[in-house]
Amino acid sequence: MRTIIGMAVGLVVAACGGAAAPKGAEPTASPETKPAGAPAAGGPAPAAAAKGGSIEDQRESFVSSCLERERSKDYCDCGFEQFKEVFKDADLSKPLADNDPRLPELRQKTTTVCTSKLSEADVKADFLHACSEGDARKEGYCGCAWGSLRKKLAYTDLAALDANDPRFIEQRKVMVVDCKGKYPTEIAKFDFMKACTQGDSTAEATCTCKWNKLKKQFTTEELVAGTVDPRSAKGVTDCK
């Protein structure tokens, strides 16, 4: 359970894609597991709304929290207006369930109405920051990924990134070719081994075998971007 204001700010930020890494930046785990997830959007929730306060009384808290993760005050102000509309009848003193049906509505409204408040520079900076996760070794790949995706997708599409959008899925396949050799293999292998062994040193030989099988059949970028299914690699199931 989270506060209404805290969860709403997270949804506003997530709606523009600013805090969530693109699929092209997600490292793949082991053949038995899903790709390792990107950082969660939204960050820490702000303090709970005061009991009995009006929605408008929450503007400063909402916008301040949004600005911790976004560069555009216009966007955060716009997000608050969508929040006011969607949660106009909400009791702000009570926590909000994660499955509250109003949350998808808030995200959709924010994406539709507020994305235009973001500049391309804002979106690109957030994309690169989320993609590299502060690791300078990933910057070449992340810059290449942005450039490749922008060939076919508007920056507003990337701001409101939908991983299931067919346009994104297709351009991601182009991206892994455009950016081949850009993602540091040592990082991909480290992430793979960590997810595969799950801290069990006795699994290292098996996981190393799996990694070697994968690398013979797929590029690092294909594995990182999730454009291939590691479970389809020949010989992986033979690693014991």
Side-chain angles (χ1 to χ4, degrees):
M1 305 285 279
R2 285 175 276 173
T3 65
I4 292 177
I5 295 292
M7 187 175 288
V9 171
L11 262 291
V12 167
V13 174
C16 78
K23 280 287 185 180
E26 291 182 0
T28 300
S30 72
E32 294 83 5
T33 61
K34 295 170 64 178
K51 186 174 182 178
S54 70
I55 288 184
E56 188 59 38
D57 290 338
Q58 313 310 318
R59 179 183 291 275
E60 183 178 354
S61 174
F62 183 104
V63 173
S64 295
S65 294
C66 179
L67 286 172
E68 290 176 3
R69 287 147 290 189
E70 278 304 314
R71 294 169 174 78
S72 172
K73 187 176 185 299
D74 287 344
Y75 174 82
C76 292
D77 286 336
C78 179
F80 183 73
E81 293 304 318
Q82 310 319 305
F83 167 69
K84 281 176 60 179
E85 181 178 343
V86 174
F87 287 92
K88 59 185 177 183
D89 298 321
D91 181 351
L92 300 182
S93 67
K94 296 180 179 179
L96 184 67
D98 288 351
N99 62 350
D100 190 295
R102 292 169 292 187
L103 291 173
E105 180 185 358
L106 174 61
R107 178 166 185 158
Q108 180 59 45
K109 282 182 175 291
T110 302
T111 296
T112 302
V113 179
C114 304
T115 299
S116 62
K117 305 293 184 181
L118 296 166
S119 70
E120 179 163 4
D122 290 333
V123 177
K124 181 178 181 180
D126 285 335
F127 179 102
L128 296 177
H129 176 73
C131 176
S132 67
E133 299 179 304
D135 191 333
R137 296 173 296 172
K138 299 180 184 178
E139 290 177 356
Y141 168 78
C142 294
C144 178
W146 171 265
S148 180
L149 292 172
R150 279 289 283 117
K151 289 179 181 179
K152 294 292 184 180
L153 300 171
Y155 83 87
T156 50
D157 292 328
L158 293 173
L161 191 61
D162 180 356
N164 296 316
D165 187 325
R167 298 173 302 159
F168 173 63
I169 292 172
E170 288 305 308
Q171 193 56 29
R172 192 169 53 170
K173 294 176 183 177
V174 175
M175 180 192 76
V176 297
V177 176
D178 289 345
C179 303
K180 184 177 179 180
K182 296 284 188 179
Y183 196 96
T185 299
E186 67 272 17
I187 297 177
K189 182 178 181 180
F190 176 84
D191 289 339
F192 175 91
M193 293 294 291
K194 182 178 180 180
C196 182
T197 62
Q198 298 184 352
D200 182 0
S201 60
T202 64
E204 289 185 5
T206 298
C207 292
T208 298
C209 173
K210 291 178 179 180
W211 173 258
N212 291 337
K213 297 283 187 183
L214 291 172
K215 279 298 291 161
K216 286 181 179 179
Q217 298 170 64
F218 306 121
T219 68
T220 298
E221 290 69 33
E222 287 175 325
L223 293 169
V224 167
T227 58
V228 295
D229 182 358
R231 293 169 297 184
S232 69
K234 295 179 180 178
V236 168
T237 55
D238 296 330
C239 295
K240 305 296 183 181

